Amino acid sequence: MKKMMLFVSAVILVSGFVVFDAFGSTRASARNREPVTRLTDEQIYAELKKFAAVFEAARANFVEEVDERKILEAAMNGMLAALDPHSSYLNADDMRDFSDRTSGSFGGLGIQVTADRGVIRVISPIDDTPAARAGIQAGDLITHINGEQVSGLTLSQAVRQMKGRPGTTIRLTIIQDGRAPRTITLTRAIIRVKSVRFETKGENNDVGYIRISDFGARTTRELRDAITALEKKNVKGYIIDVRNNPGGYLTAAVNVADAFLDGGDIVSTRGRGGREMDIARARPGDMANAKPVVVLVNHGSASASEIVAGAIQDNRRGIVMGSRTYGKGSVQQQKPFADGTAIHITVARYFTPSGREIQSEGIIPDVEVLHSRVEVLERRRDIFAESTLIGALENRSNRNRDRNQRAADADEDEGPLSDEERARRDYQLNRAIDMVLALYRLTPPRETTTGN
């Protein structure tokens, strides 16, 4: 039996990258509460005739020459946008952009964005890209591109403006955390997305750390390689970091969860009227050999990330830590047309193994650990100590230690932070490392080496 099931025909995505308007859930909920109007065939035909009349009037009477393709595409986009924030029309250019992103290599800034009330909101920066290095964070608002307001632009138009030849620069005006707007200059680059990266963490390098930045075509293979390499290092447990991961392919999410499960349900989808469409189940064989697992999430963990967190949580396979996830629980299907265009349309909602619906609720972590900064309130050598008194006798046996201590205290002064220092100060990650080691001490290691 195949390890992974496709939930509906064609390609299903749990997030739509450019077409992912995650921040429109409130508007969508309001629309869903409105009564449904049903028309007869005659009434539908009359409305379509009216649409044709509007098109002809616009083409014949507008003060400037009309781009007919543009207004027809806008009409189709408007039709789908009226359904929910995630349904959209993709013209040929949009389809090429989408293929570039899902293939794992494309040009630009390395940023996942969505439309939100007339501006562009950041879903998440992609690791090791110009956007991430510039300090752009999930939830930031982009108000201007090269000095021009983004209000009035469609999401696709804004994305096209941010794309460009590698090596060229672009100015973005950012509002971050309610602070005053700031303008930053970024240099475009070829973005090569490596879905999975891994390393060992902890004082003894005995915790396997797996960072999944998105769920793409190569995620499953990269994850398997990561677990295989970490198992050879005899790690005591695993951290699966899906913070600020906006999602991707549903198949990849199912495969990631399956790698850490020895059985049980992973996710189910339900279509119109609550009708169950399919259930994905894990195969026997836990690649991590039942070692402790902590899934690290935050408000930028959406969609496919929530499937993984929900499956691990409901199967009691590990601990979910961090902050409540975003709550994007709908499934989009891509329906292509012969001319190279397509539509993305929401076809189902997904549910965790225990039957929880994620839409607009998210995954509540087992252990809430908010993103924090730890401030050192005292030095290793406190200023109020015998050794600080003028004329105090020196401990002769500790002269070398004192010199080393003074050097260590000097190192605590603030300065530019390296990648290693940023990781060291990652409060959520450090608490996850503590949790893995604590669970390891409480759970005897399993002898078997069975894997998927």
Side-chain angles (χ1 to χ4, degrees):
M1 185 178 68
K2 288 185 179 181
K3 176 180 178 180
M4 222 295 306
M5 304 180 199
L6 286 175
F7 284 76
V8 291
S9 60
V11 179
I12 298 183
L13 304 170
V14 189
S15 77
F17 295 91
V18 173
V19 295
F20 178 14
D21 181 5
F23 291 83
S25 57
T26 302
R27 298 192 299 277
S29 299
R31 282 197 297 268
N32 291 338
R33 289 193 295 267
E34 296 174 358
V36 175
T37 301
R38 299 189 180 278
L39 302 178
T40 64
D41 290 346
E42 291 79 8
Q43 289 172 320
I44 292 173
Y45 179 70
E47 291 297 319
L48 290 175
K49 283 181 66 177
K50 186 193 297 183
F51 174 83
V54 170
F55 172 74
E56 288 295 338
R59 184 171 63 167
N61 298 292
F62 187 64
V63 66
E64 295 180 1
E65 187 176 2
V66 171
D67 185 326
E68 296 167 349
R69 182 181 299 277
K70 181 178 179 180
I71 63 172
L72 286 172
E73 288 180 352
M76 290 184 282
N77 230 329
M79 180 194 306
L80 293 167
L83 300 175
D84 79 332
H86 310 296
S87 298
S88 64
Y89 170 80
L90 302 181
N91 62 27
D93 289 337
D94 294 333
M95 280 296 291
R96 281 191 292 272
D97 291 344
F98 183 80
S99 297
D100 288 344
R101 284 167 173 76
T102 54
S103 69
S105 178
F106 55 94
L109 304 175
I111 188 172
Q112 309 271 11
V113 296
T114 183
D116 183 26
R117 293 182 285 273
V119 296
I120 303 299
R121 187 180 289 272
V122 176
I123 298 295
S124 71
I126 299 171
D127 294 345
D128 301 320
T129 62
R133 288 190 288 269
I136 293 177
Q137 300 176 10
D140 288 357
L141 296 176
I142 301 173
T143 60
H144 294 73
I145 300 175
N146 288 329
E148 300 291 330
Q149 289 188 355
V150 300
S151 59
L153 296 178
T154 66
L155 184 58
S156 295
Q157 289 170 337
V159 168
R160 285 199 195 99
Q161 287 193 20
M162 287 187 281
K163 290 179 63 179
R165 194 160 38 87
T168 58
T169 59
I170 182 174
R171 289 180 294 112
L172 301 181
T173 302
I174 304 285
I175 297 178
Q176 189 173 78
D177 262 347
R179 301 171 190 168
R182 64 188 179 101
T183 299
I184 57 177
T185 300
L186 299 94
T187 302
R188 297 181 178 94
I190 295 295
I191 309 300
R192 292 183 175 87
V193 180
K194 184 171 178 60
S195 178
V196 177
R197 60 181 177 86
F198 67 94
E199 59 185 298
T200 54
K201 295 283 189 182
E203 289 185 5
N204 298 316
N205 289 318
D206 51 2
V207 175
Y209 172 78
I210 299 176
R211 164 66 181 162
I212 306 177
S213 58
D214 78 319
F215 291 85
R218 297 195 291 253
T219 302
T220 300
R221 183 179 68 250
E222 292 178 2
L223 176 76
R224 289 175 175 275
D225 291 343
I227 297 175
T228 300
L230 291 168
E231 280 295 289
K232 290 179 180 178
K233 296 183 178 182
N234 295 316
V235 296
K236 295 178 177 178
Y238 290 88
I239 296 169
I240 309 170
D241 187 353
V242 290
R243 291 175 296 177
N244 296 323
N245 181 328
Y249 285 120
L250 180 57
T251 54
V254 170
N255 285 340
V256 168
D258 194 358
F260 294 93
L261 294 172
D262 197 29
D265 293 348
I266 295 174
V267 66
S268 63
T269 58
R270 301 178 194 176
R272 181 183 295 183
R275 147 176 107 256
E276 189 171 276
M277 298 175 66
D278 217 333
I279 300 176
R281 295 185 173 90
R283 294 190 314 181
D286 174 359
M287 289 192 71
N289 294 311
K291 292 176 181 176
V293 171
V294 170
V295 183
L296 204 50
V297 299
N298 67 1
H299 67 282
S301 305
S303 189
S305 299
E306 294 170 297
I307 287 178
V308 172
I312 296 295
Q313 189 177 60
D314 282 4
N315 283 285
R316 299 185 182 277
R317 174 62 183 89
I319 299 293
V320 177
M321 287 185 69
S323 52
R324 185 194 289 257
T325 62
Y326 186 75
K328 196 270 183 180
S330 59
V331 182
Q332 283 67 51
Q333 181 180 14
Q334 186 184 100
K335 291 183 175 291
F337 299 113
D339 62 352
T341 64
I343 64 171
H344 278 167
I345 188 165
T346 300
V347 295
R349 300 168 184 259
Y350 66 79
F351 293 76
T352 70
S354 66
R356 290 180 295 158
E357 183 179 355
I358 301 304
Q359 180 62 31
S360 298
E361 290 296 324
I363 298 291
I364 299 173
D366 299 302
V367 179
E368 184 180 54
V369 180
L370 300 180
H371 180 63
S372 306
R373 186 180 66 155
V374 178
E375 182 179 359
V376 177
L377 298 179
E378 64 178 1
R379 298 285 190 177
R380 295 186 181 91
R381 292 193 321 147
D382 199 280
I383 60 173
F384 300 109
E386 171 69 17
S387 60
T388 66
L389 298 178
I390 297 174
L393 296 178
E394 186 180 45
N395 186 321
R396 295 175 180 176
S397 63
N398 290 333
R399 288 174 182 171
N400 290 334
R401 188 187 67 184
D402 288 345
R403 280 196 295 269
N404 293 336
Q405 188 63 63
R406 284 192 292 272
D409 288 344
D411 287 343
E412 289 183 354
D413 293 335
E414 291 293 335
L417 299 180
S418 64
D419 291 341
E420 292 78 11
E421 181 62 18
R422 275 193 291 271
R424 190 180 72 82
R425 297 189 182 198
D426 187 336
Y427 183 73
Q428 291 174 317
L429 175 58
N430 286 314
R431 298 295 71 75
I433 293 170
D434 293 342
M435 179 64 74
V436 168
L437 295 175
L439 291 172
Y440 176 80
R441 295 186 187 100
L442 294 172
T443 308
R446 196 172 69 173
E447 293 294 328
T448 180
T449 57
T450 302
N452 284 335

